[in-house]
Amino acid sequence: MSIHLFDTDFHNPLIISGPCSAETAKQVMDTAILLKKTAKVHLLRAGVWKPRTKPGSFEGIGKAGFAWLTDAKKETGLPVAVEVGNVRHVEEALLNDIDVLWIGARTTVNPFLVQEIADALVGTSTPVLIKNPINPDLDLWIGALERFRNIGVPVGLVHRGFSTYSVSEYRNPPMWHLPLEVKRRFPEIKMICDPSHISGKRTMLKKIAQTSIDLDFDGLMIETHINPDDAWSDAKQQITPQELEFLLNKLVWRKGNSEITENNSQLAKLREQINQIDEELLTLIGQRMKVADLIGIYKKENNITIYQAERWNEILYRGLSGSTMHGLSEHFIRNYFDAIHLESIEHQNRVMNEGNK
Ligand code: PEP
Ligand code: MN
């Protein structure tokens, strides 16, 4: 079966759904039948090999899962997608007539693997969806895109958020400005949002999905399971096919709304980029102040004064020396560091004088 998901008859929006992992024949079949019943899903996903962070968790059912996917496809007519992480996976998937392959976030980070997988697809026309790398590195993502484009298979991108060291309400914070930058550079490539792996929990799926629609994404990949709480992987983020239908019905698809002119949507995208960057700046400044608190504790314990002119001059000098590179005026840098310094002193003051009142 030839699939043109990413060119001529691309469904817009493209809805991809199915379990995180194929677990049993019944689970795959029941999920597929219910997804088909929604009449809103275009592609059935299920991982047969699972890249787990630690050994010992369920690492996928392996090739046995292909027969279940083939049966589900026969029963529902839905084309099927699996994740491939090496050449052997690609060969098995091609042997089993899998319609679409996806490259997982942990694979996109590795150019050797990406190139080997791309080479294994030479001469085929199986579409490949490329998830963003786990780290927020646009060039790695774009590099993978180019490797697959170079061999001529149809490609699409999946935004699944980026891992972060800091505490976050997301499993993988979306950092929307990054996929938007890729969309700006490659407007012809379809961008699918994966709210499941961004959120890590059911409650946030709708909000993330709606944001992606408002940002003019081309589709959604959402994990579904007939019995999410009992899923063998990613249980917290999966929903039932019925819940998916409910969620999709609640979303406002703004595309095609004639009141939104191209200019307006361009402006909305730029504004969303600004909002995201501001949010990240404030998060970082908050983290900076937490470090200042720790310094306050250290200074208190070691009887050191809060203000130390030498250190402050060093900070200011470092900031000013980067002003041209960042395209910021000296005037702005001075104002910015004044404000930061003041807030930092207030934080340290609070820490040092705690209990002295
Ligand atoms: C998945 O889709 O189940 C998966 C493993 O995703 P990611 O590569 O985005 O972590
Ligand atoms: Mn998953």
Side-chain angles (χ1 to χ4, degrees), residues 44-75:
L44 175 68
R45 62 146 282 157
V48 298
W49 298 287
K50 300 304 298 176
R52 305 308 297 276
T53 305
K54 290 186 187 155
S57 17
F58 175 60
E59 294 191 318
I61 207 74
K63 341 187 232 192
F66 285 122
W68 309 340
L69 284 168
T70 306
D71 287 347
K73 179 172 157 181
K74 264 194 217 134
E75 178 68 30

Side-chain angles (χ1 to χ4, degrees), residues 20 45 50 83 102 104-106 131 160 197 223:
C20 177
R45 62 146 282 157
K50 300 304 298 176
E83 172 174 351
W102 86 81
R106 292 161 192 77
K131 290 203 171 196
R160 50 78 79 197
H197 291 89
E223 288 183 341

Side-chain angles (χ1 to χ4, degrees), residues 160-178:
R160 50 78 79 197
F162 301 87
S163 59
T164 174
Y165 187 62
S166 50
V167 182
S168 167
E169 60 179 322
Y170 300 100
R171 178 178 176 193
N172 294 291
M175 304 185 190
W176 293 106
H177 57 293
L178 297 179

Side-chain angles (χ1 to χ4, degrees), residues 58-290:
F58 175 60
E59 294 191 318
I61 207 74
K63 341 187 232 192
F66 285 122
W68 309 340
L69 284 168
T70 306
D71 287 347
K73 179 172 157 181
K74 264 194 217 134
E75 178 68 30
T76 62
L78 287 173
V80 291
V82 298
E83 172 174 351
V84 288
N86 59 37
V87 173
R88 185 174 58 84
H89 294 169
V90 174
E91 288 167 356
E92 293 287 349
L94 292 178
L95 268 178
N96 285 282
D97 284 332
I98 296 299
D99 301 287
V100 174
L101 307 178
W102 86 81
I103 307 298
R106 292 161 192 77
T107 306
T108 309
V109 291
N110 185 336
F112 286 141
L113 269 181
V114 170
Q115 189 59 54
E116 280 175 19
I117 293 172
D119 290 342
L121 285 167
V122 170
T124 73
S125 53
T126 307
V128 178
L129 289 168
I130 308 160
K131 290 203 171 196
N132 64 258
I134 43 179
N135 53 326
D137 183 333
L138 277 195
D139 284 336
L140 267 179
W141 199 7
I142 291 170
L145 171 67
E146 286 170 351
R147 288 177 201 277
F148 286 103
R149 283 232 291 199
N150 287 346
I151 58 142
V153 290
V155 287
L157 297 172
V158 179
H159 169 228
R160 50 78 79 197
F162 301 87
S163 59
T164 174
Y165 187 62
S166 50
V167 182
S168 167
E169 60 179 322
Y170 300 100
R171 178 178 176 193
N172 294 291
M175 304 185 190
W176 293 106
H177 57 293
L178 297 179
L180 288 179
E181 176 59 17
V182 178
K183 273 169 71 61
R184 193 186 62 75
R185 287 201 228 166
F186 298 89
E188 73 287 6
I189 304 280
K190 306 295 179 195
M191 178 73 78
I192 311 292
C193 180
D194 171 350
S196 304
H197 291 89
I198 290 177
S199 66
K201 49 180 172 291
R202 293 165 199 151
T203 48
M204 289 177 92
L205 294 174
K206 180 169 159 277
K207 178 173 159 256
I208 297 166
Q210 186 65 59
T211 302
S212 75
I213 293 164
D214 296 345
L215 294 175
D216 202 21
F217 276 47
D218 303 290
L220 296 167
M221 180 191 265
I222 296 183
E223 288 183 341
T224 46
H225 192 288
I226 33 158
N227 203 348
D229 285 334
D230 293 337
W232 298 359
S233 59
D234 287 351
K236 288 204 180 84
Q237 69 196 32
Q238 301 200 62
I239 54 176
T240 63
Q242 295 92 332
E243 285 164 341
L244 176 77
E245 185 176 7
F246 186 75
L247 185 155
L248 292 174
N249 282 334
K250 288 261 175 220
L251 295 175
V252 184
W253 302 95
R254 303 189 201 279
K255 264 226 170 106
N257 180 345
S258 56
E259 281 168 32
I260 298 180
T261 64
E262 190 45 42
N263 280 345
N264 278 343
S265 92
Q266 200 55 32
L267 179 64
K269 271 187 249 172
L270 292 171
R271 283 184 171 155
E272 186 58 35
Q273 251 176 306
I274 295 263
N275 290 348
Q276 292 300 327
I277 292 172
D278 281 346
E279 211 175 294
E280 279 163 41
L281 282 174
L282 290 179
T283 307
L284 284 174
I285 292 174
Q287 283 173 4
R288 191 194 190 285
M289 294 307 156
K290 289 208 177 86

